[in-house]
Amino acid sequence: MDPRLLFFVLTIAAVHCKDWWQSATFYQVYPRSFKDSDNDGTGDLQGIIQKLDYLVETGVQAVWLSPIYQSPMVDGGYDISDYRAIAPEYGTLEDFKQLVQSAHDKGLKVILDFVPNHTSDQHEWFQKSVSREAGYEDYYLWVDGKVGDDGQIVPPNNWLSLWRNSGWEWNEVRQQYYLHQFSSKQPDLNYRSASVHNEMKDTMKFWLDLGVDGFRVDAVPHIYEDAQLRDEPLSNNSGVDPNNYDYLDHVYTKDQFETFQLIYDWRDFIDNYTATAGGDTRIFMTESATSIENVILYYGTATGSRLGAHFSFNFYLLGADESYKPADICSSVVLWAIDLPSIYTANWLTGNHDNHRVATRVGPRNVDGYNMLISIMDGVTITYMGEEIGQENGQVTCAQGHDPSAIGNCSTFDDLTRDFERTPFQWDDSVNAGFNEGAETWLPVSDKYNETNLADQQKNNKSHYHTYQKLMKLKQTIANQVANETTGFTIGGCDANVLFYEKQFDDLKYRLVFNLGPQQETTYLDAKDRYTVLVSSVNSTYETGQIIEDSQIVLAPGDSVIVTNQ
Ligand code: GLC
Ligand code: MG
C-alpha cells in the first residue's frame, strides 16, 4: 500500500455558505418496489406520496426517483417510450404534480432520473426512424452491414453490448443495423443529430417547469461513440470470452470528448434555467462508471472554466464486501481527497439498484459502520432505499426474474441478475411486508422481512434505522458547523483493523471508529479530551450520550461509534 495512505490529514481553509445540495442526503426510490398503494403488485406514485412523511422523519433532504416514465418495462423503466408521460402502472401526471407539491411542502427536493443515451424500441421516434420518416431518419445510429467472408451481411464493427454479444441489431424494415449499448430493445440515440439535442433539452425543460429540482443522468459515458465507427482494441483481460463486454477496451464507445462537452452544455442550460426561473439551484448528478479521471471530468474542468455535473457518482465503495479492510476504504477516501479539485463536492454511496445490497455484501453487522462513514464524510450522501434498515438482497429464481441483463440464461442468472436488490421494501411484518395488501408482487418479497423491517426497527431503540436517523441529524449539525480558522479531516488505522475518520473544526472533533477486523479491538482517544458518544452501531455496548472512560473504546467485530469532544 502507498505509505501516504497510512495516515492522511487534509486541512483546508474554512469554506462556508454551502448550497442546499452540497451536504444533502439523496434517497433513491426504485418506484416499482417502494410502496404499492393500489394493490396491483407494483409500487406507484401514490405509494411514494404516502411515504413522504417517512422520508422527512428519516432526515433526508431529497428523493431521487428511478424512471417513472411510460415504458414497456423491459429494463425497469430505463427503456422509455414517452419522456413526457408517466407509466400508467405508476399513476398519472396529476399524481406526479401532487407528489412534487407535497414533497416541496414538506421541504423535500425531487430529482428525476433522466435517460438520454437510449429510448425504448417502442418510442415513436424509433418507429418513425425505422420507417425513415422525414426528420427522424437520423435519430438513432443506423449503419449498413458489412459483407462478411461467406457473403453474409455482418455488423459494421466489433462493438459489444454491455449485456453481451454484438451491440448491433439488424432491422428488417430499414435493412440496416442500429446500435444498442444495453438491450436490443434500448436503441442508442444519435447525438450527432441536432434534433435529438433539442428534444432532450425540451424534455428537461418540461420536467423543470413541473417543479423538479434536478436530474440523475443515466449511463452518461455511453452517450457518444466514435464517428468513424472504428473497431475497439482487445482488452486482453484474462478469462473473458469474445462476447463479453470486458473483452474489448472501450476507447471508441465510452467517455468520448463530445460527451463531456454535452454535459458541460447541459450544465449551462440548467444553470440558466435556475437563473431565469429563480428559486433554489436545480442540479445534475451523473451516473458514470468509469476511471477517476473521467468521473472528475464529468464534474467539469480542473479549474472550473467549464462546469458539468454538480456531482458525478463515486462508485468506489460499491466494491465493499466482507473482506474489506480499512486499507481498502482509505485508498478510495484518499484518492477522492487528492484527485477531486477542491472546487467540487464529493459524494458517497454504498449501493443502488444495480448492485447487490450493501448489507448482503458487507454482512449485517457492518451496516451501521458503512452508513456512518458515508454520512460523516464531507459532501453528498446517497442512500438506496432500504439501506437505512439494513435490508439485504431478496431471493428471486430464474423463472421469477425480470432483469434483461440476466434473463434468458438460467445457468448465469444468479451471477448476473440485479433482481435481488430490487425486491420490495420491507415496511413491517404484515402480508407482503406492508408493500401492498396481499396481491402478488412483481418480484417476490424477501423471506427475511420478519427479521428485518422498518416497523420493528422504529419500535426498537437500538436499530439500524435509529442509528441512521441520528446520522442524518449529525450530518446536518456538522454541515452547519462554522470554523474560525480551519476545517479538515484525518483518516487513520488504514494498515490495521480499526478505521478512524475524524472531522475537525478548530478544536471541535467528530471521530468515527469502526472495527472491520475479525476480533475485538481497543482503540485509544486523545487523553486530553473528554469524549461523548453521539451514535453507536446496533451491536455495540455504547449508548448515545455515554461518556468514554479512560479514553478507550472497545469494539467487537463490526462495531462502530461516532464520538465528539464537545
Ligand atoms: C444505468 C441504470 C441501469 C440501466 C442502464 C441502462 O446503468 O442504472 O439500471 O439498466 O443504465 O439504462
Ligand atoms: Mg400499484
Side-chain angles (χ1 to χ4, degrees):
M1 186 173 61
D2 180 341
R4 287 181 312 166
L5 304 187
L6 291 183
F7 195 93
F8 181 83
V9 183
L10 179 83
T11 308
I12 47 171
V15 186
H16 292 288
C17 307
K18 288 199 168 120
D19 200 354
W20 72 265
W21 56 273
Q22 291 180 290
S23 48
T25 296
F26 290 74
Y27 186 93
Q28 182 192 357
V29 164
Y30 194 71
R32 236 177 164 182
S33 302
F34 193 52
K35 174 71 189 172
D36 175 15
S37 73
D38 59 358
N39 201 35
D40 67 350
T42 299
D44 42 57
L45 297 186
Q46 285 299 334
I48 299 170
I49 293 170
Q50 285 173 16
K51 296 297 181 185
L52 290 174
D53 284 333
Y54 165 66
L55 299 183
V56 173
E57 272 161 42
T58 303
V60 304
Q61 287 70 42
V63 54
W64 146 34
L65 306 178
S66 277
I68 53 169
Y69 316 100
Q70 183 182 298
S71 162
M73 296 285 165
V74 168
D75 186 21
Y78 284 94
D79 49 320
I80 297 169
S81 52
D82 184 344
Y83 283 91
R84 297 182 189 205
I86 302 290
E89 57 269 57
Y90 292 166
T92 63
L93 207 53
E94 285 312 307
D95 293 321
F96 180 73
K97 289 180 187 164
Q98 187 191 338
L99 191 160
V100 173
Q101 182 66 52
S102 176
H104 284 172
D105 288 348
K106 297 174 196 298
L108 283 173
K109 306 282 191 204
V110 179
I111 306 295
L112 287 189
D113 222 302
F114 180 61
V115 187
N117 179 66
H118 46 266
T119 69
S120 159
D121 63 349
Q122 303 303 306
H123 197 294
E124 73 167 341
W125 300 340
F126 188 70
Q127 315 280 339
K128 288 179 173 173
S129 202
V130 164
S131 57
R132 298 182 195 260
E133 196 171 303
Y136 293 89
E137 301 95 325
D138 66 347
Y139 265 46
Y140 297 84
L141 276 132
W142 294 105
V143 182
D144 292 335
K146 281 196 309 206
V147 181
D149 296 341
D150 53 3
Q152 292 280 73
I153 299 288
V154 297
N157 65 24
N158 71 349
W159 295 354
L160 292 166
S161 153
L162 273 90
W163 298 340
R164 293 185 64 80
N165 303 321
S166 174
W168 298 98
E169 182 81 4
W170 178 252
N171 182 273
E172 275 302 327
V173 177
R174 187 153 158 156
Q175 291 286 304
Q176 278 187 310
Y177 283 99
Y178 65 86
L179 181 71
H180 61 90
Q181 297 216 45
F182 295 90
S183 116
S184 60
K185 301 198 171 309
Q186 294 166 293
D188 270 49
L189 284 160
N190 173 21
Y191 276 83
R192 295 202 162 77
S193 147
S195 311
V196 168
H197 283 256
N198 293 335
E199 296 275 15
M200 286 304 162
K201 281 189 180 160
D202 289 352
T203 303
M204 285 190 273
K205 181 162 185 310
F206 174 84
W207 293 103
L208 290 167
D209 286 347
L210 286 171
V212 308
D213 300 287
F215 302 99
R216 174 263 192 192
V217 190
D218 180 72
V220 164
H222 307 282
I223 294 181
Y224 272 92
E225 296 77 23
D226 177 45
Q228 297 174 50
L229 304 177
R230 281 172 281 187
D231 272 339
E232 290 190 319
L234 304 190
S235 65
N236 297 318
N237 286 335
S238 60
V240 287
D241 67 87
N243 288 321
N244 185 317
Y245 186 67
D246 293 337
Y247 192 71
L248 300 177
D249 186 7
H250 302 291
V251 293
Y252 296 130
T253 56
K254 269 188 89 177
D255 301 316
Q256 301 297 289
F257 174 79
E258 296 96 322
T259 306
F260 296 103
Q261 304 306 308
L262 178 72
I263 296 300
Y264 303 162
D265 287 348
W266 283 355
R267 173 64 181 266
D268 290 344
F269 168 81
I270 202 167
D271 282 352
N272 283 334
Y273 188 93
T274 303
T276 313
D280 290 347
T281 308
R282 316 305 197 274
I283 64 149
F284 271 132
M285 46 210 234
T286 47
E287 186 214 18
S288 39
T290 180
S291 66
I292 184 88
E293 294 77 19
N294 284 332
V295 169
I296 290 170
L297 263 186
Y298 285 116
Y299 271 85
T301 57
T303 59
S305 56
R306 293 293 320 261
L307 296 175
H310 291 76
F311 55 96
S312 184
F313 289 157
N314 169 358
F315 284 149
Y316 285 74
L317 291 177
L318 284 177
D321 62 18
E322 234 152 357
S323 73
Y324 246 47
K325 288 281 172 289
D328 303 298
I329 294 173
C330 288
S331 48
S332 45
V333 172
V334 173
L335 182 76
W336 270 70
I338 291 177
D339 286 17
L340 187 71
S342 61
I343 48 171
Y344 297 127
T345 302
N347 71 95
W348 303 99
L349 59 89
T350 53
N352 58 32
H353 64 297
D354 293 329
N355 291 277
H356 286 184
R357 283 186 168 278
V358 62
T360 300
R361 300 194 327 264
V362 303
R365 76 180 185 198
N366 292 309
V367 159
D368 296 332
Y370 278 95
N371 275 336
M372 287 183 193
L373 188 69
I374 64 171
S375 38
I376 196 177
M377 292 192 285
D378 257 359
V380 168
T381 302
I382 302 146
T383 291
Y384 176 49
M385 64 180 208
E387 287 174 356
E388 72 279 30
I389 59 167
Q391 182 167 328
E392 293 174 67
N393 277 354
Q395 312 78 32
V396 181
T397 64
C398 184
Q400 294 165 325
H402 283 261
D403 177 8
S405 75
I407 55 176
N409 184 350
C410 287
S411 67
T412 53
F413 178 80
D414 282 359
D415 292 333
L416 296 179
T417 189
R418 299 172 297 176
D419 290 317
F420 298 150
E421 56 267 23
R422 297 175 178 178
T423 61
F425 188 95
Q426 293 155 209
W427 295 102
D428 57 37
D429 63 4
S430 69
V431 63
N432 285 342
F435 170 66
N436 65 14
E437 281 161 18
E440 198 181 330
T441 56
W442 79 279
L443 278 182
V445 174
S446 167
D447 60 21
K448 292 197 171 167
Y449 76 92
N450 275 316
E451 55 189 90
T452 308
N453 66 69
L454 174 69
D456 204 42
Q457 296 192 19
Q458 281 173 323
K459 274 179 247 146
N460 187 342
N461 201 25
K462 265 212 146 182
S463 63
H464 297 307
Y465 182 68
H466 282 297
T467 301
Y468 185 87
Q469 240 183 347
K470 286 178 192 155
L471 288 171
M472 291 297 102
K473 283 210 182 87
L474 179 62
K475 184 175 171 78
Q476 294 314 309
T477 307
I478 294 179
N480 293 328
Q481 260 340 311
V482 178
N484 291 322
E485 289 158 22
T486 55
T487 168
F489 76 83
T490 306
I491 189 165
C494 299
D495 57 345
N497 286 328
V498 181
L499 177 79
F500 76 82
Y501 179 96
E502 185 173 88
K503 280 218 60 67
Q504 299 115 2
F505 299 90
D506 302 331
D507 292 331
L508 172 64
K509 298 170 191 163
Y510 296 96
R511 176 181 283 236
L512 158 68
V513 285
F514 180 13
N515 181 7
L516 284 131
Q519 284 141 24
Q520 177 172 301
E521 301 273 353
T522 302
T523 173
Y524 298 91
L525 304 169
D526 194 341
K528 73 175 175 9
D529 284 320
R530 196 179 112 111
Y531 282 89
T532 312
V533 175
L534 291 173
V535 196
S536 59
S537 61
V538 173
N539 299 324
S540 85
T541 56
Y542 294 92
E543 300 290 342
T544 299
Q546 187 176 333
I547 307 290
I548 299 291
E549 304 292 342
D550 306 327
S551 308
Q552 45 179 307
I553 300 179
V554 181
L555 300 169
D559 282 358
S560 50
V561 294
I562 295 178
V563 294
T564 182
N565 66 342
Q566 91 198 106

